[in-house]
Amino acid sequence: MNFKPTVRHLPLLLLVVIIPGLLLVLFLAAGGWLTPQRLSAQSLVQSLQQNSGVHPGYPRNHAKGVCVTGDFTSSGNAAFLSRASVFQPGTVPVIGRFAIAGGNPHAPDYGVPVRSLALEFQLAHGEQWRTGMNALPFLPVSTPQAFYDQQQASRPLPQTGKPDAQKLMAFTVAHPEVKPFFAWVKTHVLAASWAQERYNSLNAFRFTNAQGETRFVRWSLVPRTPWQPISAAQQQQPDYLQSDLHDRLATAPLKWDLVISVAQPGDAVNDASKVWPADRQQIVAGTLTLRDSSPQQGGSCNDINYDPLILPQGISGSDDPLLNARSAAYAKSFNLRTAEQARQQEKNHESPDNPVSSAAAHRTLVDGAGRADHAIYRRGDGGGYLDCPFTVAGDT
C-alpha cells in the first residue's frame, strides 16, 4: 500500500520529518560540524597543550597554583555604580587561587613573568561572583583568533625546545598590537611574593545600579603589602611563591583593596590590550583579606571553575570577545582535569581524605564530564538565575 501525503498530513510530516531535521541542523551548527574552520574552545585548549604538554588533573593554563580562603568586606562606596549585593556594606566569604601562567604544574616560579589570582565571592541567595585577574597591565592581544595565533607561533620546536623565530616574527608583523606587551615583559621586574602583586581584571564589565544606569568598569586588587623585587636566593627556589605565601599567612592575614576604575566615553571597553588613562575615576569598593592556603589538588579551590562570566545581579560582561572565549576554554579545561582526577582516584582506590577531591571525582564519575552536582548562579544580568550544571563555569 502506497502512502500519498495530503494537506491533512502536513502536521504529521512536520512532527516526524521536518522538525527533527531542523533540530539536527541546529545541533550540528552548535557543535561546529557545519563550520569546522571555526575557532573552538577545544582548539584553544589544544594549542595550550601543544605548548606545555598534557599534565593530567591540572588546568591547561595557570596550571601551577595554590588555594586560598578569606573574606571580602565591602565599604559600600561602589553601591552607586552597581546593585550587586557584594557592594553593599558587609562581609562575604571568598575562595581563591594564586597561580603562575603556563600549562606546566612543575614549572619554576621564577621562569614565568605572569602571575594570577582568581576569586569566588560567595553571596547571598545562591549568587556567586567569579573573577580571574592577572598581574599585568594589559593583554598582548584582543581577540581569540589572535590568542590562538600567538600560541601557534610560540610552540616550541622539538629540536631546540624554543619557538621558531621566523614564526614569531611573522606573528608580530601580523599583530603589531603585541609590541607593547613584549616591551613590558623585557622591563618587568618580578615581585618577591604573590602578596605584593596588583591583580587586574583587564577585561571591562558593565555595572548597573538600582536606577538602571550602566557604566563600564575594570577592577584591580591593590596590595597593602609593600613591593619588593625578587631576591637572588628566591630565584634558586622553584616553589618559593608557595613557601612565601605559607609563611606570610602563618604570621598575619594578607590584604588588598578592591579598586573600581570607571570608563569615560572613548575608552576601549571591548579591547583588553588597551590601557585606560590613569586619571579615570577610581572607587575603593572594599578590602579582600586572605587568611589561609592549601594545596590546589584536593584543596578548597579544586572544584571551582573561575569563569569570568559567572556574575551576580548588577554586573554583566562587556562585548569583549575574549570574555566568551575564556569562559568556553575554562569549561573545556575544567571538564578535562576533573575527569582525569576521577579516573586517577578510581584507579588508585583513594579515600575522600586523599589528595584528589572526592567531590570532583563524584561529578566526573557520574557522566564523565562533571555534570552531577548543580549550583544556582547567574551568567550576568542577561542570563537570569539558572539551575544548571556546575561545569558551566571555567578553569583558570
Side-chain angles (χ1 to χ4, degrees):
M1 179 178 178
N2 294 327
F3 173 72
K4 295 182 179 181
T6 64
V7 173
R8 65 187 180 88
H9 294 114
L10 183 58
L12 180 63
L13 288 172
L14 286 172
L15 182 64
V16 175
V17 179
I18 299 177
I19 292 178
L22 288 174
L23 291 175
L24 177 61
V25 170
L26 291 173
F27 173 79
L28 292 173
W33 294 95
L34 302 183
T35 54
Q37 74 283 359
R38 187 182 68 181
L39 186 63
S40 65
Q42 182 172 348
S43 300
L44 292 173
V45 170
Q46 285 178 341
S47 70
L48 293 169
Q49 292 180 160
Q50 289 167 346
N51 284 5
S52 301
V54 177
H55 301 274
Y58 290 91
R60 270 40 183 184
N61 196 12
H62 297 257
K64 184 179 183 180
V66 61
C67 299
V68 287
T69 55
D71 49 71
F72 173 75
T73 300
S74 171
S75 64
N77 293 338
F80 79 98
L81 282 174
S82 172
R83 65 176 183 270
S85 63
V86 68
F87 297 126
Q88 296 298 318
T91 300
V92 297
V94 169
I95 300 175
R97 181 176 182 268
F98 284 111
I100 61 174
N104 182 0
H106 311 294
D109 293 342
Y110 179 64
V112 181
V114 178
R115 298 165 179 173
S116 64
L117 173 58
L119 296 174
E120 177 188 81
F121 298 77
Q122 299 177 332
L123 312 180
H125 310 299
E127 283 195 306
Q128 296 177 2
W129 177 22
R130 301 183 190 176
T131 176
M133 297 161 287
N134 289 276
L136 65 162
F138 50 84
L139 291 177
V141 295
S142 60
T143 67
Q145 185 64 54
F147 174 80
Y148 177 80
D149 293 344
Q150 181 186 15
Q151 296 304 309
Q152 295 297 102
S154 303
R155 184 183 304 174
L157 295 172
Q159 309 92 302
T160 63
K162 298 180 180 180
D164 186 316
Q166 291 184 339
K167 288 185 177 180
L168 275 179
M169 180 61 68
F171 171 78
T172 304
V173 171
H175 297 277
E177 70 272 18
V178 304
K179 292 180 180 179
F181 181 80
F182 288 162
W184 174 82
V185 170
K186 288 181 180 179
T187 60
H188 179 60
V189 178
L190 287 173
S193 172
W194 271 320
Q196 299 168 350
E197 296 280 16
R198 173 184 176 130
Y199 300 95
N200 304 306
S201 70
L202 302 178
N203 302 109
F205 292 78
R206 293 180 177 92
F207 274 17
T208 303
N209 62 19
Q211 291 73 43
E213 301 166 332
T214 296
R215 304 285 294 274
F216 285 99
V217 304
R218 290 173 175 170
W219 54 78
S220 301
L221 282 171
V222 180
R224 293 190 181 179
T225 305
W227 186 89
Q228 289 181 321
I230 184 174
S231 68
Q234 287 175 320
Q235 294 180 31
Q236 306 304 315
Q237 303 172 35
D239 303 317
Y240 75 89
L241 286 173
Q242 292 94 320
S243 300
D244 171 85
L245 182 68
H246 179 271
D247 293 344
R248 288 177 184 271
L249 288 174
T251 302
L254 298 171
K255 295 179 181 291
W256 287 257
D257 291 320
L258 178 62
V259 179
I260 309 295
S261 298
V262 184
Q264 292 295 319
D267 289 343
V269 297
N270 298 326
D271 186 346
S273 69
K274 298 292 189 296
V275 178
W276 291 354
D279 63 355
R280 292 298 178 255
Q281 181 185 15
Q282 295 188 339
I283 297 97
V284 179
T287 302
L288 171 71
T289 303
L290 297 181
R291 305 180 185 278
D292 195 14
S293 66
S294 61
Q296 63 178 356
Q297 295 294 82
S300 55
C301 67
N302 184 74
D303 297 340
I304 299 176
N305 207 334
Y306 290 98
D307 183 340
L309 291 179
I310 300 299
L311 303 165
Q313 294 186 63
I315 307 177
S316 57
S318 66
D319 294 329
D320 187 334
L322 287 177
L323 279 173
N324 282 325
R326 288 175 63 188
S327 178
Y330 290 5
K332 180 67 176 178
S333 172
F334 182 81
N335 283 344
L336 287 171
R337 73 172 174 87
T338 51
E340 291 160 354
Q341 289 175 353
R343 286 193 293 269
Q344 186 62 44
Q345 182 174 4
E346 186 179 42
K347 178 180 177 181
N348 296 340
H349 302 288
E350 292 187 343
S351 70
D353 294 329
N354 280 339
V356 177
S357 164
S358 59
H362 170 69
R363 284 202 302 275
T364 49
L365 285 173
V366 169
D367 70 353
R371 295 192 177 95
D373 289 354
H374 287 68
I376 298 175
Y377 39 70
R378 296 172 58 87
R379 292 181 65 85
D381 283 340
Y385 283 93
L386 300 174
D387 183 13
C388 54
F390 196 78
T391 52
V392 298
D395 221 31
T396 187

